[in-house]
Amino acid sequence: SQQGEEDPQALSIQEGENATMNCSYKTSINNLQWYRQNSGRGLVHLILIRSNEREKHSGRLRVTLDTSKKSSSLLITASRAADTASYFCATSRMDSSYKLIFGSGTRLLVRP
Amino acid sequence: NAGVTQTPKFQVLKTGQSMTLQCAQDMNHNSMYWYRQDPGMGLRLIYYSASEGTTDKGEVPNGYNVSRLNKREFSLRLESAAPSQTSVYFCASSDVDRSLMETQYFGPGTRLLVL
């Protein structure tokens, strides 16, 4: 069974708006990562947040982690058409740090 | 650096045929992985190799075998392909960084259709 579940499954926004995606997971984690996948391509790592961190920024990306609720959110500010992609959260469990469990992803469409 | 490379990019098989998917990385990573991605399912781990000389089953290993040929190469073999193995297959590699965290680096994928 999958550890992470993203919400929403699909999101359509206008260029310039902010996009927020959520991820929930089930077991204790070592870290949580977000990946991006452009259509027909492999996944690209975006950002990693450790279990003892609550918020992390990277450029236009902001990730939060709430371990009490077993959830994370990815915020993309001032979205661009080039941000159109699928976004996946992946969790690294405490008992096996080198294995990632991926969620089913959020498909983001940024309209020009 | 090429990163993670996979061959072939596309393959069509008939039920019962066998084939091997090849993966190589040039980042000197210890760990390598094989995933499959089906529509709406995200990625599911088939097999992984934490280090050269070791392999372990992931979430969906049935119908597959793997070989960690050396530190660079990790192959996935389908002995008798079935239509249920129609999917996109991704290889990935990773290594522990200074903060003891691991980020995975993915290849471009192999699209497999089993008729």
Side-chain angles (χ1 to χ4, degrees), chain B residues 15-112:
Chain B
T15 296
Q17 287 185 318
S18 62
M19 78 161 295
T20 299
L21 282 66
Q22 306 288 351
C23 174
Q25 52 92 8
D26 61 2
M27 295 172 283
N28 202 35
H29 286 168
N30 282 317
S31 303
M32 297 185 73
Y33 312 82
W34 276 105
Y35 294 90
R36 60 177 289 173
Q37 184 178 32
D38 301 301
M41 294 289 290
L43 276 75
R44 291 184 292 171
L45 183 64
I46 305 171
Y47 270 93
Y48 65 98
S49 171
S51 61
E52 186 178 358
T54 68
T55 61
D56 286 286
K57 295 178 180 179
E59 185 184 355
V60 288
N62 291 345
Y64 305 95
N65 284 301
V66 290
S67 294
R68 184 73 184 267
L69 304 170
N70 48 55
K71 192 171 185 178
R72 288 187 65 247
E73 298 171 291
F74 189 37
S75 62
L76 178 71
R77 182 161 179 83
L78 286 71
E79 290 291 351
S80 179
S84 60
Q85 294 178 305
T86 292
S87 188
V88 182
Y89 291 84
F90 289 99
C91 177
S93 70
S94 72
D95 213 353
V96 180
D97 65 16
R98 282 181 289 180
S99 60
L100 301 182
M101 296 291 128
E102 292 199 34
T103 296
Q104 293 191 11
Y105 296 83
F106 284 80
T110 293
R111 282 161 178 73
L112 176 65

Side-chain angles (χ1 to χ4, degrees), chain A residues 29-49:
Chain A
I29 62 171
N30 185 37
N31 65 70
L32 185 144
Q33 304 179 33
W34 285 90
Y35 287 78
R36 164 190 169 133
Q37 183 180 35
N38 287 80
S39 181
R41 308 292 291 274
L43 278 72
V44 175
H45 178 259
L46 293 176
I47 195 165
L48 179 153
I49 187 165

Side-chain angles (χ1 to χ4, degrees), chain A residues 4-8 20-25 31-37 43-49 56 61-65 71-76 86-91 100 102-107, chain B residues 103-104 106:
Chain A
E5 295 295 334
E6 283 93 337
D7 170 59
T20 299
M21 291 159 257
N22 302 297
C23 170
S24 60
Y25 57 92
N31 65 70
L32 185 144
Q33 304 179 33
W34 285 90
Y35 287 78
R36 164 190 169 133
Q37 183 180 35
L43 278 72
V44 175
H45 178 259
L46 293 176
I47 195 165
L48 179 153
I49 187 165
K56 201 162 183 180
L61 305 180
R62 173 178 168 253
V63 171
T64 61
L65 179 64
S71 67
S72 172
S73 67
L74 171 67
L75 168 68
I76 304 174
S86 291
Y87 293 82
F88 295 88
C89 70
T91 51
L100 292 179
F102 285 84
S104 54
T106 293
R107 295 186 309 279
Chain B
T103 296
Q104 293 191 11
F106 284 80

